[in-house]
Amino acid sequence: MERLSSNSTRSSRPIILGLAGVLFFLLVWQLIPALGILNPAYFPNATDTLAQLAKDLGTGALWKDIGYTLIAWGLGLAMATIGAIIFGTVIGLVPFLRRATHTTIEFLRPIPSVALIPVAILVYGLRLEAALLIIVYASFWQVFVQVLYGVADVDSVARDTARSFGLSRSQRFRSLVFPTALPYLITGVRLAAAVALILTITAQMFIGVPGIGRSIIFAQQGANWVQVYALIVVTGILGLLVNIGFRAIERRVLHWHESVRGEELL
Amino acid sequence: MKKALAAAFTAAAVATLAACTSTPEPTTSAPPNTSPTDTAAPQETFDVRVAALPIAETGALWAAIDEGIFEKHGINIEIVPAQGGAQAIPALLSGDIQFAIGQPFGPFRADAQDLGVVIIGDYADSLATGKDVNAVVALNSSGIDGAADLAGKNVSVNSLGAAGDVTIMKAVEDAGGDPKSVKFVEVAFPEVAAQLDAGNIDAGWAPDPFMSMVAGGEGHIVVHPYQATIPGLSVLTNITLQDTIDNNPQLVAQYSAAMKEALEWASANEDAVRAALVTNLEIPEEAAAGITLPTFTFDLSVENLQTLAGLAVGYGVLEAEPNFDRMIQQQ
């Protein structure tokens, strides 16, 4: 009985800590304009911003923006992940290809996706496809590099064992390469999900496709700062939900893996 | 699972391919819907995408669309908000949009690169007298009272190497200051007031509502650079491609007729323009009522643009004057 209660306090502790962190953050935010550290005319306090957010949540416009943002994010992340799995697996498993592409990959990977916005517009115009190019480019590398190292990380003893047991190529892939690469892949996708969300908002801001990013620019042009920060809070909450979601998937898919056992949620 | 993955990949590949192949050639942009409208109008109906900045001036367009002026001319118009000419011209070249409303410096620079970008008409002019549509503003405590005081100071413009810094340099020179000593930095219009307050800039160039926010608060208007140097200078123009003019003259003619009527209507119906700002840009009603609106007109003053280009060459902002004969084709 005693053990049970100590267990439940332990599991609720991270949630309490998480809430305390949020409250502390809101308090600091409230104080920054109140103490005049930033001019309240340009940096609204937390209560005004959250009140505006509550008002927005009652209108269809914000939900539409959230919908547009999630669609662009989801499409971009899916395309990046599928592409990265295919290219990562093929290149990662063939040492020749890995050596041949290494320099090119290290050249392309650090190029900031935002720098490609003019190219994206030149190719696709002011459309969702242009935004997707930016999103996919940024998030692809996150998954690709993880898959690349994941498929190459097979334990040599396990590989020799599999070989001596006469496992076929497809058997080896299924029971050796796939389980080895899976934790890498999941980590890559979780990182890519956050990157894709950031680039979705950025693309909406600078390409003008509908969504939260475009509404932020509109609110800025209307000098409506409370609205600007309300929308920024929405992007933060989306990011948090995305992260929680992917951590939950990670725990479920990799419940057997040592990296997951003993990890806490928030 | 494998099947689903394969299906998903095929879908993605098809989508990518379709997107690639559908990248329109400039010559095939805006396929006309050849069926005539029911209202027995002699014209064709065109689906048109127009890039416009999400700023107060675009209020005229939103209001005119609601008024049905473009529809009447067979133009089924969609406004695409673009962030400045840097985005609008690549979008024109991609064929995704057929027209753009932008500052004349975009075509100036495009002409230098032979991109075939053409100004087909005016959109909005600054005001020759009174409170102009934009101004250099500074805080009252800055000690900057006139254009000459800007010499040696940090002054912001929304984008370097365009009409803002060129006319400000000219205004400083005319007032007896050294135009080359002004240190220009890029600050987006909405940020000007906050950057002034923070002391990061000494003065900043901004249109309404930001100009009036500073001037109505702890700051004042230093100079209206357009009015002081080229009164009535065009703020925004209608831009398209030479290809569109050559291959789709009917579209350009109908669009121009619609735009001309829209701008005439807008200048006579300022209340409707302000109302459109409240709904489209979510500018609070009081702020929208105080915004200085430009002169909306389709008739371009070529001399003003030539003066601007001449100044830009003089200050080294442009390497050479654009070829006005091919760049400006008033419709």
Side-chain angles (χ1 to χ4, degrees), chain B residues 7-280:
Chain B
F9 173 66
T10 318
V14 167
T16 316
L17 267 177
C20 286
T21 48
S22 74
T23 302
E25 294 272 307
T27 50
T28 59
S29 61
N33 175 1
T34 41
S35 64
T37 48
D38 306 333
T39 50
Q43 69 224 0
E44 299 173 40
T45 302
F46 295 97
D47 288 331
V48 173
R49 279 162 64 85
V50 180
L53 303 160
I55 54 173
E57 278 82 353
T58 307
L61 209 47
W62 287 316
I65 292 168
D66 289 345
E67 186 68 14
I69 293 173
F70 286 91
E71 206 181 333
K72 200 175 86 188
H73 287 270
I75 299 292
N76 184 12
I77 190 170
E78 183 189 349
I79 301 296
V80 191
Q83 284 292 305
Q87 265 82 341
I89 286 176
L92 271 177
L93 295 171
S94 81
D96 170 43
I97 60 169
Q98 290 76 47
F99 301 95
I101 291 161
Q103 292 156 9
F105 250 82
F108 283 11
R109 291 196 182 280
D111 189 77
Q113 299 168 46
D114 290 328
L115 292 178
V117 173
V118 177
I119 300 178
I120 55 166
D122 204 0
Y123 178 87
D125 284 348
S126 62
L127 306 177
T129 54
K131 190 182 182 190
D132 201 358
V133 291
N134 59 50
V136 176
V137 288
L139 296 183
N140 293 332
S141 56
S142 66
I144 298 173
D145 298 320
D149 300 327
L150 294 173
K153 295 292 195 326
N154 288 313
V155 180
S156 76
V157 291
N158 66 324
S159 68
L160 292 169
D165 43 354
V166 169
T167 54
I168 291 168
M169 280 193 273
K170 173 68 172 158
V172 170
E173 189 176 2
D174 288 350
D178 176 10
K180 294 276 171 198
S181 71
V182 182
K183 285 171 276 199
F184 287 105
V185 291
E186 267 194 20
V187 174
F189 293 142
E191 314 289 339
V192 166
Q195 294 296 332
L196 282 172
D197 267 1
N200 295 332
I201 51 174
D202 300 309
W205 183 57
D208 264 336
F210 311 108
M211 164 176 82
S212 296
M213 278 171 61
V214 177
E218 291 162 15
H220 60 272
I221 287 170
V222 177
V223 62
H224 292 297
Y226 282 19
Q227 196 178 77
T229 58
I230 312 172
L233 175 63
S234 191
V235 183
L236 295 167
T237 56
N238 274 283
I239 301 165
T240 191
L241 295 182
Q242 184 66 51
D243 276 337
T244 310
I245 297 176
D246 293 342
N247 299 312
N248 225 332
Q250 182 70 18
L251 164 67
V252 175
Q254 280 179 222
Y255 173 84
S256 300
M259 185 58 82
K260 195 175 167 72
E261 187 180 335
L263 294 172
E264 277 165 13
W265 175 85
S267 58
N269 292 279
E270 288 204 349
D271 288 345
V273 175
R274 290 181 204 281
L277 292 180
V278 176
T279 49
N280 285 282

